[in-house]
Amino acid sequence: MPNIANATRMELTRLKNQLATTRKGHRLLKDKQDEMMRQFLSMIENYKVLRQLVESKWLKALDTYDYAKAYHYEAELKEKFLVPATSLELKYSKSTVMTVAVPEIQVSQKVDPKITYSFHGTNPVLDEVVVTLASNLNDLIALAAMDKRIRILIREIEKTKRRVNAIEHILIPEIIDDIKVVRMKINEAELSNTIRIMKSKDLILKKLTKND
């Protein structure tokens, strides 16, 4: 609520300018929210496709691993996979989605899996497990990065939505109410001033008539 002492034309102009600026900021935030939602929905579609691909390869590798148990004890299989089949160097960077920083992760070199267990006494089906998992590695890393980007974008969309709602339902109505109060006080002051002038005019006229 504005101070009654500040109920002036200058204060009314200030509030009107503040309202115009606030509405402009609200439109910009709303546009940002809409664009982030559009990119989010597009990202979700790509995420679903990539996730299905990763899961299908992962399940295939698990099925093959389970099949290998028919030829090897589980403890023996675990021992054969103690040494990693490959190593990776990842390149980390950041990009922006509507001024929001999101991670980018890339594999620096081609994945070239190596068989680290002895071929002697080992069923060839294990090789298929290694190849399947290796072919899934790049997509798995891309999926992890995409998942992180989506989570960051969701938080930013929620934060922007709260700001948009606060401006639309709290700040703008408060400024409009302040403008109404200031305008009412100005009208009251002008009416009071008009009445005072009219009374002064009547007194002057009465004095002039009496003197005549």
Side-chain angles (χ1 to χ4, degrees):
M1 182 68 66
N3 193 329
I4 295 178
N6 292 331
T8 61
R9 294 283 180 186
M10 185 178 294
E11 175 66 9
L12 183 61
T13 300
R14 186 191 70 80
L15 287 172
K16 287 181 178 179
N17 291 337
Q18 183 183 357
L19 179 62
T21 302
T22 303
R23 281 175 168 163
K24 182 178 179 181
H26 175 264
R27 284 194 299 272
L28 292 174
L29 270 179
K30 190 68 169 60
D31 290 343
K32 178 182 178 181
Q33 177 188 340
D34 293 342
E35 178 60 21
M36 283 194 298
M37 276 299 302
R38 186 190 67 78
Q39 295 196 30
F40 168 76
L41 293 174
S42 175
M43 201 177 293
I44 281 291
E45 291 301 317
N46 294 333
Y47 176 82
K48 288 179 180 178
V49 173
L50 186 58
R51 186 182 180 91
Q52 287 176 354
L53 178 63
V54 169
E55 287 182 347
S56 65
K57 288 184 179 181
W58 183 256
L59 291 174
K60 179 182 177 182
L62 288 179
D63 288 341
T64 308
Y65 184 81
D66 286 338
Y67 179 70
K69 290 179 182 179
Y71 302 95
H72 300 278
Y73 293 110
E74 189 165 358
E76 185 184 0
L77 289 174
K78 289 181 178 179
E79 183 180 353
K80 291 182 181 296
F81 286 111
L82 283 176
V83 180
T86 186
S87 61
L88 288 178
E89 288 185 8
L90 300 180
K91 185 178 180 182
Y92 178 82
S93 61
K94 287 185 177 182
S95 60
T96 57
V97 178
M98 295 299 294
T99 70
V100 181
V102 294
E104 294 284 347
I105 302 176
Q106 295 178 339
V107 179
S108 299
Q109 81 284 347
K110 182 181 178 181
V111 177
D112 186 19
K114 296 178 176 62
I115 304 300
T116 57
Y117 48 80
S118 172
F119 290 111
H120 179 69
T122 302
N123 192 286
V125 74
L126 286 183
D127 300 351
E128 187 178 342
V129 176
V130 174
V131 172
T132 302
L133 290 177
S135 68
N136 205 26
L137 198 52
N138 282 349
D139 289 336
L140 186 61
I141 293 169
L143 183 66
M146 191 178 295
D147 182 84
K148 184 63 176 179
R149 287 197 294 272
I150 287 174
R151 291 177 187 274
I152 291 174
L153 203 55
I154 287 174
R155 287 199 298 269
E156 189 65 24
I157 289 172
E158 290 176 347
K159 184 169 70 175
T160 304
K161 183 178 179 180
R162 287 195 297 270
R163 292 174 64 189
V164 167
N165 288 338
I167 293 174
E168 182 177 350
H169 300 294
I170 298 175
L171 188 55
I172 290 178
E174 284 181 352
I175 297 174
I176 291 175
D177 288 342
D178 289 347
I179 289 174
K180 289 178 180 178
V181 170
V182 170
R183 185 177 283 128
M184 182 182 69
K185 296 299 179 182
I186 290 174
N187 291 338
E188 288 178 355
E190 289 179 346
L191 179 60
S192 177
N193 189 49
T194 301
I195 292 173
R196 187 168 59 253
I197 292 173
M198 291 178 66
K199 286 183 177 180
S200 299
K201 182 179 178 181
D202 288 341
L203 288 173
I204 292 172
L205 289 174
K206 285 181 181 179
K207 285 184 179 180
L208 290 173
T209 303
K210 186 176 180 181
N211 292 334
D212 291 342

